Amino acid sequence: MNIFVVNSGSSSIKYQLFKMPDTQPVCTGLVERIGLDGSIITHKIFTEGEEQVVRKTLFLKNHEAGLKEVALLLTDPEIGVIQNPDDIEVVGHRVVHGGESFSATTVITNEVKEEISKLFSLAPLHNPANYVGIEVAEKIFARAQQVAVFDTAFHQTMPERAFRYALPEALYTEQRIRAYGFHGTSHKYVSERAAEYLQKKHAKIITIHLGNGCSMAAIRNGVCIDTSMGFGPLAGLVMGTRSGDLDPSIIFHLINQLGYTPDQVSGLLNKQSGMVGLTGYSDMRDVIKAMDSGSKQAALAYELYAYRIKKYIGAYAAALNGLDAIVFTAGVGENDNRIRQMVCTDIEFFGIRIDMQRNSLRIPGIREINEEASGVKVLVVPTNEELEIAQQCFELLVPMAVA
């Protein structure tokens, strides 16, 4: 089954093509700077273990123009991997917010699209772009089954005590104000890989997704029972540009005493805070360079970032009533050995003991970085959201095809 996975952002499209059930992609790519001069397409084709890279710089007016160029690359006489767009049987879409309407992978209908559009206000930076990706894919891959995989779906198993806020009842029953959580596709993928590695189906696992956006999840027996992001993706950990948890009184102070507008507060907390607010850098690699050059601000920010993660480990170990493993994933989690070391230092109480030498190595695939005597496994598990989307589409549609 040819499954084309689309992750549509506000000015970008990430994509991968799988011939399921084979889990190795046939090709992958990234379309950047859509709507801007100098749009870039980076297209990679994998043939018998060899990688071929094609880069194009051109002006792409919108997502439709971008995806049409991708379709041309997919069907190119020399480097193409399919004959024509009709060879794509399924297009799997990452949709960030599914609210309470969607707790599982869903075939896209007009009714589903209408529900996704109703959630624009809950994910204004993501859902509109995801919606555009769906509409464009429907035109270009007209014969394909369109399927939505929701970032929030994995967290819909949280008990009410975890997802409710202590607000008047009507704000939940009428306005659906509650914690939804995000990065669910990543948390699901890495927790399942960790459980396979542990050879323990009924495992208690804390997953730590550290990229520009950061979140954690407490997972028991493959089911999410709590997560750090909430109504929107602002809550929880310190992130590249987001503040993470803070006292709501600060918002009132900014508005009432310092004259901020609500839009200015939103911009401050979502785009000007986190590591960029503390150091001037949103990329952790730049923060580390500054820290190594003697910046006290960068060193404090790094410590604050790790401390917040450590606090959530304590909270989730309590929520799980035990712990088999913690999992680091995503760009920072997979590549920054120092943040892993800082997080795992001085929490021996939980049975977590990191091995400094193992932690310093960069080895492909799942790796264990704890001491042999550690009571809790510390794992680095590379995430692959596109593969997880493809697998969920395949698992949904194959039984339907057989039926």
Side-chain angles (χ1 to χ4, degrees):
M1 182 180 284
N2 287 329
I3 300 180
F4 187 59
V5 176
V6 175
N7 184 346
S8 182
S10 57
S11 62
S12 67
I13 303 169
K14 288 198 296 183
Y15 60 89
Q16 292 194 27
L17 175 61
F18 296 90
K19 291 184 180 292
M20 296 296 290
D22 190 349
T23 58
Q24 295 300 315
V26 176
C27 69
T28 68
L30 174 64
V31 185
E32 302 175 90
R33 296 177 56 84
I34 294 172
L36 303 172
D37 289 334
S39 308
I40 302 167
I41 301 177
T42 305
H43 183 77
K44 298 180 181 180
I45 307 104
F46 304 98
T47 308
E48 297 179 353
E50 296 293 322
E51 177 182 299
Q52 182 180 354
V53 181
V54 177
R55 290 188 175 88
K56 296 179 70 175
T57 301
L58 66 172
F59 174 68
L60 298 172
K61 180 181 178 181
N62 51 33
H63 286 69
E64 184 170 357
L67 209 50
K68 281 182 176 178
E69 287 293 331
V70 172
L72 290 174
L73 288 167
L74 293 174
T75 57
D76 184 270
E78 294 183 9
I79 62 168
V81 292
I82 57 174
Q83 294 296 314
N84 62 68
D86 288 345
D87 290 341
I88 299 296
E89 297 163 81
V90 181
V91 180
H93 297 269
R94 178 196 180 212
V95 180
V96 166
H97 213 308
E100 290 188 318
S101 302
F102 303 104
S103 59
T105 301
T106 304
V107 173
I108 296 172
T109 63
N110 287 333
E111 290 74 23
V112 169
K113 286 166 61 178
E114 186 177 347
E115 284 297 315
I116 291 170
S117 68
K118 288 178 181 177
L119 297 166
F120 281 3
S121 63
L122 298 186
L125 297 179
H126 299 93
N127 267 40
N130 303 153
Y131 187 92
V132 168
I134 292 168
E135 295 226 299
V136 170
E138 286 176 332
K139 294 179 183 177
I140 295 173
F141 305 103
R143 295 189 64 181
Q145 184 80 74
Q146 309 288 328
V147 176
V149 177
F150 298 91
D151 266 8
T152 51
F154 182 61
H155 304 303
Q156 285 294 300
T157 54
M158 288 192 295
E160 197 164 4
R161 65 175 180 268
F163 72 70
R164 286 288 299 272
Y165 294 117
L167 295 170
E169 183 75 7
L171 287 176
Y172 171 63
T173 57
E174 297 173 18
Q175 304 298 325
R176 315 317 289 176
I177 295 178
R178 51 157 288 179
Y180 290 100
F182 300 88
H183 295 146
T185 307
S186 177
H187 287 294
K188 181 178 187 293
Y189 179 82
V190 300
S191 64
E192 289 175 350
R193 300 293 80 74
E196 290 170 2
Y197 177 87
L198 296 169
Q199 296 183 329
K200 190 170 184 179
K201 186 176 181 181
H202 302 294
K204 298 176 179 178
I205 299 172
I206 296 173
T207 50
I208 308 170
H209 178 108
L210 304 177
N212 191 265
C214 304
S215 65
M216 291 173 61
I219 299 163
R220 181 169 55 218
N221 303 341
V223 173
C224 178
I225 66 164
D226 207 344
T227 192
S228 59
M229 284 181 169
F231 181 67
L234 182 59
L237 305 180
V238 176
M239 307 179 216
T241 65
R242 298 181 189 129
S243 66
D245 290 341
L246 51 72
D247 180 352
S249 300
I250 294 170
I251 296 171
F252 306 136
H253 182 78
L254 290 169
I255 292 173
N256 296 328
Q257 304 302 320
L258 302 183
Y260 279 68
T261 66
D263 283 347
Q264 287 173 327
V265 172
S266 177
L268 174 72
L269 299 183
N270 281 290
K271 299 178 180 179
Q272 301 163 27
S273 296
M275 299 305 276
V276 76
L278 291 167
T279 70
Y281 305 107
S282 62
D283 191 306
M284 188 63 84
R285 291 167 293 190
D286 294 325
V287 175
I288 290 170
K289 286 179 185 177
M291 183 169 63
D292 290 343
S293 298
S295 168
K296 292 182 179 179
Q297 284 177 294
L300 173 62
Y302 202 76
E303 186 177 1
L304 195 158
Y305 182 98
Y307 180 67
R308 185 72 60 82
I309 298 167
K310 190 178 295 190
K311 286 207 298 183
Y312 268 93
I313 290 174
Y316 287 171
L320 290 165
N321 189 26
L323 191 56
D324 293 303
I326 62 173
V327 174
F328 289 93
T329 194
V332 176
E334 294 170 32
N335 296 300
D336 189 345
N337 63 299
R338 280 196 278 185
I339 205 68
R340 296 193 300 262
Q341 177 183 331
M342 190 173 285
V343 168
C344 294
T345 299
D346 297 331
I347 51 174
E348 294 87 355
F349 175 81
F350 295 108
I352 298 170
R353 296 179 182 276
I354 195 169
D355 184 300
M356 301 302 184
Q357 184 175 2
R358 284 181 173 181
N359 183 44
S360 65
L361 299 175
R362 289 197 177 187
I363 303 170
I366 297 176
R367 61 192 191 273
E368 188 175 319
I369 60 171
N370 52 273
E371 294 180 359
E372 291 297 331
S374 179
V376 173
K377 298 291 187 186
V378 182
L379 305 177
V380 178
V381 181
T383 193
N384 191 332
E385 292 171 287
E386 285 76 21
L387 174 57
E388 177 63 29
I389 290 169
Q391 288 177 322
Q392 289 191 38
C393 291
F394 187 69
E395 290 166 5
L396 173 70
L397 295 174
V398 166
M400 292 172 63
V402 171

